[in-house]
Amino acid sequence: MRRQTIRDLAKAAGVSISTASNALNGTGRTNAETVERVKRVAEEIGFRPNALARGLLTKRSHAIGMLTNDTYGRLTLPMAAGVSEVLVDHGLSVFLCATNNDPRLARLHLETLLDRQVDGIIFTATRLDLKPPPELAKLSIPVVYAFAEGPENSISFFPDDAQGARLAVEHLQASGRSRIAHITGPEDYLAVRVRAKAYRDCVGPGAEVLYGDWSEEWGHEAIEQILSRGSDRPDAIFCGNDEIARGVIDALRDKNLAVPGDIAVVGFDNWEVISRQTRPPLTTIDMELKEIGHSAGLAILGLTRGEAVPSGITRLPCRLVVRQSCGGQTD
Amino acid sequence: MRRQTIRDLAKAAGVSISTASNALNGTGRTNAETVERVKRVAEEIGFRPNALARGLLTKRSHAIGMLTNDTYGRLTLPMAAGVSEVLVDHGLSVFLCATNNDPRLARLHLETLLDRQVDGIIFTATRLDLKPPPELAKLSIPVVYAFAEGPENSISFFPDDAQGARLAVEHLQASGRSRIAHITGPEDYLAVRVRAKAYRDCVGPGAEVLYGDWSEEWGHEAIEQILSRGSDRPDAIFCGNDEIARGVIDALRDKNLAVPGDIAVVGFDNWEVISRQTRPPLTTIDMELKEIGHSAGLAILGLTRGEAVPSGITRLPCRLVVRQSCGGQTD
DNA sequence: TATTTCTGCTAAAAGGTTTTATCCGTAGAT
DNA sequence: ATCTACGGATAAAACCTTTTAGCAGAAATA
């Protein structure tokens, strides 16, 4: 059966098209009783407004685009889900645009989004220091950056890497550890530098940072390096991500060092496929990606409504997930 | 500056609106030279047609919805990326709708999609035997199921679990193994049953299937069970996913059994965060999720164009990824 | 020359909604 | 008794495009 239009609704309710529209949207002057009747009839005949027609006129499509370069999806999807989750109840939908790091694709997606009159765009990157396409800055619709830094005066949301690092270190200190080492990823990642700095500030003299890559392999190797030094073994290790932490835990077991007995370990990411499966299960820092998605979604929502949204970088708190690799509590 | 409309284009090119439209779309009768000129002017003034207006008239929004219940995104995002990738060059965009397994949310998303006049819907589930919302079957727009089975006569795409399992077993047999065990997930997963059956058919008498859950833990435990039997140790193990395989590999190392020397191991999923990081790196089966996304996207595309698309279940081949856990080749 | 066919173009309708301007009555103010 | 205000409704314009039907002239046919 043909989809019901507002014309059908008007006829069925015995009013004019404009009255029907006003009644549904609460605009104009309308009698309460009429409103009631129109709404009831709309329900009965199953009328739902055509979003295309509405958007054409109001110039608001109630849709936004989410531009990402992350194919594997480990970071993007939780954020996208967060965005969608917070927006669906406000009637906003999300276009997913995976660019695969290909500038041509990014441009193509961007043009299509503009053709579709999206109300805003959320840009996401997998690496904090990856630069978003410069075209974004010149758009006349709002743009929000999630896990990525936009140009001057733009709106960005990040996990609070420094606070996350402090959370980890302070948890270790609170459970009585004093010689804490930091094994992390490549120094050219912005997040790596931020976390390392927070770690240093927390630990004070004696801080020791080992940069490497994001692999378990590197976790093994770093442990090798640390232990081969002989003297002054650390009693805790703060790792830059969960993969490294897993390598560290395995290496320590190979060396017959107990976790957390001899050395406590804390990770970063709370990537559950790893952190739940290490032995013992890994205490780690969760970046609350979904929360970042929520914030980005709310920011876009506010902007499309013309509300003022504070610009600049907002850092959202990370959360400590306590499992068993630091002793004490269980999951 | 205001967005250019076809009106502006017509004026700038010195033709009527309809000629401009015809020239751009290659419809109607138009002089080649006029077409040329209109297109040039369109380029110059940066005209791009308003997708909303176009969709309103043609009743084709050139957008599709992707409904998924997967929040974590390990399966969905690769597929979604595949869908988007294959459709973007045809001007189709993808709405991402995460339902979190909540029927209310699913219905809400579905209604919004229909309001937006999407040309089709792709439904995706994380578990093969999860049922899609029944409303889907009654829609007048095409629906395609990816990694999920639709009702009678619908169009579904799956990985070919049986072929994948055969690929694994035959690879083991080809490298000289003859006593192959199968450690896998819960029997109530359809995929588990399909793979187990293919394994049995391949191995013949002596086949042995251990059902458990999808964890490393279970991999350890299963090895414990198998070895404690004493006699007749297998010389190869085919695992139901990479997590189990990882547990198996670690357990074997604990038992001082060499992989692949004493026992070869092959996994399933090619979940790189695991399969690349086991020691030795894991030979495993890749389900080619992106390929499934491609196929689903192409199917929807064909359907929206009114082309005939064969209905029923299509199973797409899996791919053997050879690393080092079965001996021989390297990555 | 008269008629048909073809070519290139255009005016106008259509699509479904929101919004503006207007209209008609009635109630209250002068 | 006249004027103003207002409550409730509506016709029509607008949004931007595609498509249908039609028009004028040129070329081909008879």
Side-chain angles (χ1 to χ4, degrees), chain A residues 2-67:
Chain A
R2 207 182 90 266
R3 213 181 143 95
Q4 301 287 331
T5 76
I6 199 172
R7 193 172 236 98
D8 302 319
L9 170 60
K11 193 182 301 174
V15 294
S16 74
I17 292 182
S18 13
T19 304
S21 173
N22 281 331
L24 291 181
N25 301 323
T27 55
R29 294 183 297 240
T30 32
N31 186 321
E33 190 196 319
T34 314
V35 170
E36 165 62 27
R37 177 161 41 96
V38 169
K39 283 190 174 167
R40 204 192 57 234
V41 174
E43 181 79 20
E44 278 171 21
I45 68 171
F47 167 78
R48 311 209 82 226
N50 180 321
L52 264 36
R54 162 182 277 169
L56 177 58
L57 197 49
T58 60
K59 297 182 178 311
R60 300 204 41 216
S61 62
H62 295 273
I64 68 161
M66 182 144 178
L67 223 49

Side-chain angles (χ1 to χ4, degrees), chain B residues 7-306:
Chain B
R7 193 174 233 94
D8 303 318
L9 170 60
K11 193 183 299 174
V15 295
S16 74
I17 294 183
S18 12
T19 303
S21 173
N22 281 331
L24 290 180
N25 300 322
T27 55
R29 292 183 299 240
T30 31
N31 186 323
E33 190 195 320
T34 313
V35 171
E36 165 61 27
R37 176 161 42 96
V38 169
K39 284 190 173 166
R40 203 192 56 234
V41 174
E43 181 78 21
E44 278 171 22
I45 68 173
F47 167 78
R48 310 210 81 224
N50 180 321
L52 264 36
R54 164 183 275 169
L56 177 57
L57 199 50
T58 60
K59 297 186 178 311
R60 302 206 39 216
S61 62
H62 295 273
I64 68 162
M66 183 142 176
L67 222 49
T68 174
N69 64 2
D70 179 15
T71 313
Y72 187 61
R74 148 181 167 211
L75 298 171
T76 291
L77 207 91
M79 281 194 280
V83 171
S84 170
E85 196 171 297
V86 82
L87 293 185
V88 63
D89 281 311
H90 297 275
L92 292 204
S93 302
V94 179
F95 283 112
L96 181 71
C97 306
T99 68
N100 282 343
N101 271 323
D102 175 350
R104 179 192 78 92
L105 226 47
R107 216 171 19 250
L108 186 55
H109 270 129
L110 190 54
E111 280 178 347
T112 311
L113 287 176
L114 294 179
D115 294 349
R116 293 181 188 282
Q117 316 275 105
V118 291
D119 297 341
I121 290 183
I122 297 181
F123 177 85
T124 293
T126 47
R127 279 199 49 179
L128 293 182
D129 27 15
L130 220 59
K131 282 288 163 251
E135 302 97 297
L136 278 183
K138 309 196 192 86
L139 297 182
S140 57
I141 54 173
V143 178
V144 165
Y145 300 81
F147 222 86
E149 189 174 354
E152 201 71 25
N153 276 333
S154 56
I155 300 176
S156 314
F157 293 91
F158 285 99
D160 191 338
D161 287 294
Q163 173 260 359
R166 278 196 301 273
L167 222 47
V169 175
E170 283 165 5
H171 177 68
L172 289 169
Q173 290 171 332
S175 44
R177 314 287 169 154
S178 57
R179 297 184 312 283
I180 305 172
H182 183 34
I183 304 177
T184 186
E187 195 172 359
D188 62 322
Y189 274 64
L190 177 58
V192 166
R193 299 193 297 273
V194 171
R195 293 175 198 166
K197 174 169 186 324
Y199 154 81
R200 280 210 174 87
D201 292 349
C202 250
V203 164
E208 178 182 18
V209 181
L210 287 83
Y211 300 99
D213 57 30
W214 291 122
S215 68
E216 291 188 25
E217 186 69 30
W218 162 236
H220 277 91
E221 199 182 311
I223 287 301
E224 207 64 51
Q225 283 182 25
I226 285 183
L227 296 185
S228 69
R229 245 179 12 207
S231 70
D232 207 22
R233 197 181 73 198
D235 58 6
I237 296 177
F238 166 39
C239 300
N241 79 350
D242 289 353
E243 279 178 273
I244 294 175
R246 161 136 218 181
V248 164
I249 287 182
D250 287 352
L252 290 174
R253 188 174 33 247
D254 289 354
K255 300 282 180 189
N256 282 317
L257 288 169
V259 175
D262 297 316
I263 300 188
V265 176
V266 49
F268 211 106
D269 277 359
N270 193 28
W271 199 359
E272 303 216 337
V273 59
I274 299 182
S275 54
R276 284 205 117 94
Q277 305 261 350
T278 55
R279 290 179 308 159
L282 185 63
T283 290
T284 187
I285 304 295
D286 189 308
M287 292 191 285
E288 302 276 33
L289 295 172
K290 212 175 210 188
E291 216 42 62
I292 294 184
H294 283 170
S295 298
L298 287 178
I300 278 282
L301 183 64
L303 287 169
T304 61
R305 291 178 169 169

Side-chain angles (χ1 to χ4, degrees), chain A residues 252-297:
Chain A
L252 291 174
R253 186 173 35 246
D254 290 354
K255 299 279 179 193
N256 281 318
L257 288 168
V259 175
D262 297 315
I263 300 189
V265 176
V266 49
F268 210 107
D269 278 358
N270 192 27
W271 198 359
E272 303 216 337
V273 59
I274 298 182
S275 54
R276 284 205 118 93
Q277 305 263 347
T278 55
R279 289 178 308 160
L282 186 64
T283 289
T284 186
I285 304 296
D286 190 308
M287 294 191 284
E288 302 276 33
L289 296 173
K290 213 175 208 186
E291 219 37 67
I292 294 185
H294 283 170
S295 299

